[in-house]
Amino acid sequence: MNYSKLLASPCQLIWGGAAALMSATPGVAQERVAGVNPKAAAIKAFTDRVNEYAALQKKVDAGLPKLSGKDDPSRIEAHQAAMAGRIKIAREAAKRGDIFGSAEPVLMAVIREDANLRSLREARAAMEEVPKFDPPAVNTAYPEKAALATVPPLLLDALPRLPEGLEYRFMGNDLILRDTKANLIADFINNAAPTAAKTK
């Protein structure tokens, strides 16, 4: 037997929390022995689900009147509301975790690592513009008057890239996946904010 495959690599040690969580799932232990990286598998599954959502966006948008660069705000708002309505119907049974799934602990580890590289003052400054609202809910609109706080560039670069029409945003202590075309919360991770994750 090649025991080297059973030893954790430095990357696996960093992401040990995610690997430990996934090892509780039937079949994951065998996959690790076979050379499958649990972290990479979780991110791949997340990316696949994100792409499925983006495909739904395109399908819904294709069934609506086309917008031009000269449309007035009311027409744009009506288009967005129509998209939101159709996506809600298509994802009527959607719940938290349907998109982030097993990638949730992996992404939280990325956020925690980013926070630990910052001073407490820097971590707090990064969250100054984050809106303080009640916990988010899947398939609900992002609050119309809420600020859209920018995710710090270095953290954004460390997170999996998203297709056009989706973005990461912090909302209170939660990381949300925001549908920018329909202004909907597609999914979210509880208590993922850097200030909540910071350990030093």
Side-chain angles (χ1 to χ4, degrees), residues 46-59:
F46 167 64
T47 300
D48 288 345
R49 289 189 292 270
V50 162
N51 288 334
E52 288 174 4
Y53 188 97
L56 172 62
Q57 283 179 319
K58 291 180 180 178
K59 181 178 179 180

Side-chain angles (χ1 to χ4, degrees), residues 67-85:
L67 292 174
S68 69
K70 299 180 180 180
D71 288 306
D72 59 66
S74 62
R75 184 176 173 83
I76 294 173
E77 289 175 6
H79 185 92
Q80 185 181 76
M83 277 202 71

Side-chain angles (χ1 to χ4, degrees), residues 120-132:
L120 185 58
R121 177 178 296 180
E122 290 172 334
R124 286 175 175 170
M127 300 300 291
E128 280 182 355
E129 296 181 357
V130 172
K132 305 298 189 291

Side-chain angles (χ1 to χ4, degrees), residues 5-134:
K5 292 183 179 180
L6 299 176
L7 298 177
S9 67
C11 180
Q12 287 172 313
L13 291 175
I14 293 174
W15 303 101
L21 178 64
M22 295 184 69
S23 66
T25 304
V28 171
Q30 292 90 332
E31 289 179 356
R32 187 186 302 133
V33 172
V36 174
N37 182 327
K39 172 195 164 187
I43 294 300
K44 172 64 167 56
F46 167 64
T47 300
D48 288 345
R49 289 189 292 270
V50 162
N51 288 334
E52 288 174 4
Y53 188 97
L56 172 62
Q57 283 179 319
K58 291 180 180 178
K59 181 178 179 180
V60 168
D61 194 29
L64 295 173
K66 300 302 179 185
L67 292 174
S68 69
K70 299 180 180 180
D71 288 306
D72 59 66
S74 62
R75 184 176 173 83
I76 294 173
E77 289 175 6
H79 185 92
Q80 185 181 76
M83 277 202 71
R86 294 190 180 195
I87 288 176
K88 286 180 181 180
I89 292 173
R91 302 184 73 227
E92 185 177 6
K95 60 186 183 300
R96 195 194 77 78
D98 280 354
I99 299 179
F100 280 120
S102 60
E104 182 173 317
V106 180
L107 301 185
M108 289 187 72
V110 171
I111 295 169
R112 186 179 300 110
E113 180 64 21
D114 177 83
N116 286 336
L117 293 174
R118 303 170 186 269
S119 67
L120 185 58
R121 177 178 296 180
E122 290 172 334
R124 286 175 175 170
M127 300 300 291
E128 280 182 355
E129 296 181 357
V130 172
K132 305 298 189 291
F133 282 95
D134 292 333

Side-chain angles (χ1 to χ4, degrees), residues 106-189:
V106 180
L107 301 185
M108 289 187 72
V110 171
I111 295 169
R112 186 179 300 110
E113 180 64 21
D114 177 83
N116 286 336
L117 293 174
R118 303 170 186 269
S119 67
L120 185 58
R121 177 178 296 180
E122 290 172 334
R124 286 175 175 170
M127 300 300 291
E128 280 182 355
E129 296 181 357
V130 172
K132 305 298 189 291
F133 282 95
D134 292 333
V138 173
N139 266 356
T140 60
Y142 185 88
E144 183 179 348
K145 297 182 179 180
L148 287 171
T150 303
V151 175
L154 291 179
L155 173 57
L156 193 59
D157 286 343
L159 293 169
R161 189 176 298 276
L162 297 174
E164 181 184 358
L166 287 168
E167 65 180 7
Y168 300 108
R169 292 284 180 179
F170 283 110
M171 186 175 176
N173 289 330
D174 307 314
L175 177 71
I176 69 170
L177 187 63
R178 177 175 174 261
D179 178 336
T180 62
K181 296 182 178 180
N183 192 41
L184 288 177
I185 297 172
D187 201 358
F188 64 96
I189 299 176

